[in-house]
Amino acid sequence: MRTSDRILHILFWSIVLLGIIDRLLILQLTIGYASDDLTVIWLAAQDYSRGIFHEPFFYGQNYGVMLEALLAAPLVAFGADPIIAVPVVIAFIAMAPFWSFAFYYFLRKEYVGALLFAALPLLLPPEHGIQYTNLNGLAVLAICPWVQRIRNNALSAFLIGLVLTAAAAVNLNALVACAAFGTWFLFARSKKPELIGWAALGTVPVLAGFWAAMHFYAQRPEAVMNTVFDWRFVFHGEGIPIAFGQLDAHFAWLFPIWWPNGHLVLWALVAICIMLYRRGKKASVLGLLAALVVIVLAMGFPKTHDGTGSVFFPLSRIFLAAPLLFGWGISQLDLQGKCRKFFVTSVGPAVVICFILRFVMAPGIFASALANQEQLPLRVWPVELIANSAG
């Protein structure tokens, strides 16, 4: 191994280690508290561990797959307390897409992409790490890069369709990234139309499962206490200029390093599109453009405007895929020369500084969020209080 590669390996594993430490610190800060929704996931994890499946989605809703409960169920089956197991699983799935892409690029010796994806969770503000809702759909996207490594082209295409549709079905906020990856795949494989057919076929199992779930609730309307398939899913074009008038709220905590200006991630994606176009990477350009179109259209739905400035129920949860797309877009640029050297030499110090700032700032941010919950549709409580009231 060359000395330069050895240094890059050390840098990569150091960033990964800091990411693990950062996640453990945030977990230690938040694990003693739970939202109203989280208590339902505790119950579901316990039910799933016993083979009990009351309904397809979040209890009382006709949407929202409880992936966290499914992943925690084996731990609970082996005796883990769901109050501990579920937050641990959530901490893992929050990092899963970033680490997955990081290791994918690392194994391919594409070190800019590897370092960037490993670093991104640390370069984002502490609020991004503290908020733990709506991460499950993005976690499914962690499978995407590995599907591309499958040598059987038909199987790879089938699984691409399956994974992208599953991610959107688990949580619609993954749709922004699904639009990018799906469009990229379609145009990158356009010379082999049979692969597009295999990808379309891959969507069938998920769509069939979703239809079956909707049929389940149609037969049991009394089970639906809350839905988003109402006025909140009716498009209103006037919502788009309203959203553009408060971009920092809709993209809060989604841009690395320059934390107070989350909306910059949107313009960064536009800039990356221009740079990719100049490099002739049309499939990547079309992928990011598809994501930007989905973002703009999403602004026209009332559901996108249903949120607050709190980390417990943020407006920006709708666009949580934006940092993932930012990392993917940069990695597609294939930086070389001075740009590559600047990135490699600056990413380490930037990660260390941001890690320290996150460690210092996170407790105060969390305490402030706990003290200001009056306008939230759900509340976060100390686990002790929940346990005592249940007892």
Side-chain angles (χ1 to χ4, degrees):
M1 183 185 295
R2 295 181 303 175
T3 302
S4 58
D5 284 352
R6 188 177 295 111
I7 292 171
L8 288 169
H9 280 222
I10 292 171
L11 180 58
F12 175 79
W13 288 110
S14 298
I15 293 174
V16 170
L17 178 60
L18 277 181
I20 294 171
I21 295 171
D22 176 82
R23 187 51 47 178
L24 290 174
L25 290 170
I26 290 178
L27 182 61
Q28 182 184 34
L29 180 67
T30 60
I31 200 169
Y33 298 84
S35 68
D36 302 328
D37 283 354
L38 193 60
T39 60
V40 177
I41 298 176
W42 291 348
L43 176 61
Q46 198 164 48
D47 287 342
Y48 294 167
S49 72
R50 298 169 179 170
I52 301 170
F53 295 87
H54 294 293
E55 50 188 280
F57 295 125
F58 192 95
Y59 292 166
Q61 298 182 172
N62 60 350
Y63 69 98
V65 175
M66 289 190 281
L67 180 65
E68 304 90 336
L70 283 169
L71 294 176
L75 301 175
V76 176
F78 281 102
D81 186 341
I83 293 175
I84 303 297
V86 170
V88 169
V89 166
I90 290 173
F92 168 75
I93 68 172
M95 300 298 284
F98 295 103
W99 282 345
S100 178
F101 276 86
F103 284 110
Y104 171 77
Y105 285 114
F106 182 75
L107 292 175
R108 290 168 58 91
K109 298 184 178 180
E110 297 178 20
Y111 294 117
V112 170
L115 292 171
L116 178 59
F117 273 107
L120 261 176
L122 291 164
L123 298 178
L124 292 167
E127 290 92 342
H128 180 271
I130 292 170
Q131 84 90 32
Y132 53 78
T133 59
N134 298 275
L135 300 168
N136 44 16
L138 300 182
V140 176
L141 294 176
I143 304 171
C144 279
W146 305 101
V147 168
Q148 298 177 47
R149 291 178 66 90
I150 297 175
R151 293 184 179 180
N152 186 312
N153 289 333
L155 178 60
S156 177
F158 177 86
L159 291 176
I160 281 286
L162 179 70
V163 170
L164 293 182
T165 312
V170 169
N171 197 307
L172 273 175
N173 71 349
L175 191 59
V176 172
C178 293
F181 299 150
T183 303
W184 172 83
F185 176 84
L186 288 175
F187 282 90
R189 303 289 194 275
S190 59
K191 293 181 180 179
K192 296 182 178 180
E194 69 275 12
L195 296 184
I196 297 174
W198 278 107
L201 190 62
T203 68
V204 172
V206 179
L207 294 176
F210 187 79
W211 177 87
M214 291 294 100
H215 181 71
F216 174 93
Y217 289 106
Q219 298 297 311
R220 302 166 181 82
E222 71 281 355
V224 181
M225 307 301 293
N226 185 35
T227 183
V228 293
F229 303 115
D230 51 18
W231 59 271
R232 283 168 289 190
F233 257 54
V234 177
F235 183 78
H236 296 278
E238 60 271 24
I240 296 175
I242 293 173
F244 270 94
Q246 50 181 10
L247 286 178
D248 270 333
H250 284 285
F251 291 89
W253 318 313
L254 299 182
F255 189 69
I257 299 178
W258 201 355
W259 294 345
N261 299 282
H263 74 279
L264 289 178
V265 72
L266 185 61
W267 310 121
L269 292 176
V270 174
I272 292 169
C273 277
I274 296 171
M275 290 186 282
L276 286 169
Y277 179 78
R278 290 178 174 176
R279 293 179 183 228
K281 298 196 173 185
K282 294 182 180 179
S284 301
V285 171
L286 291 169
L288 287 181
L289 285 176
L292 289 168
V293 168
V294 171
I295 287 173
V296 173
L297 290 176
M299 292 175 178
F301 290 92
K303 180 61 181 174
T304 301
H305 299 262
D306 179 24
T308 69
S310 170
V311 292
F312 298 143
F313 193 66
L315 278 168
S316 58
R317 73 193 188 282
I318 305 298
F319 301 122
L320 279 175
L324 195 66
L325 285 180
F326 174 80
W328 182 74
I330 295 292
S331 68
Q332 295 297 301
L333 288 172
D334 191 24
L335 299 178
Q336 300 294 331
K338 291 181 180 179
C339 290
R340 184 178 188 273
K341 184 177 181 181
F342 173 78
F343 173 81
V344 170
T345 56
S346 61
V347 68
V351 163
V352 171
I353 292 169
C354 289
F355 171 82
I356 294 170
L357 288 174
R358 284 165 65 94
F359 173 72
V360 172
M361 296 169 61
I365 291 169
F366 188 65
S368 177
L370 286 172
N372 296 280
Q373 301 189 63
E374 292 77 13
Q375 304 302 317
L376 299 184
L378 75 168
R379 303 294 292 270
V380 174
W381 311 90
V383 168
E384 280 186 19
L385 180 61
I386 297 171
N388 291 336
S389 62

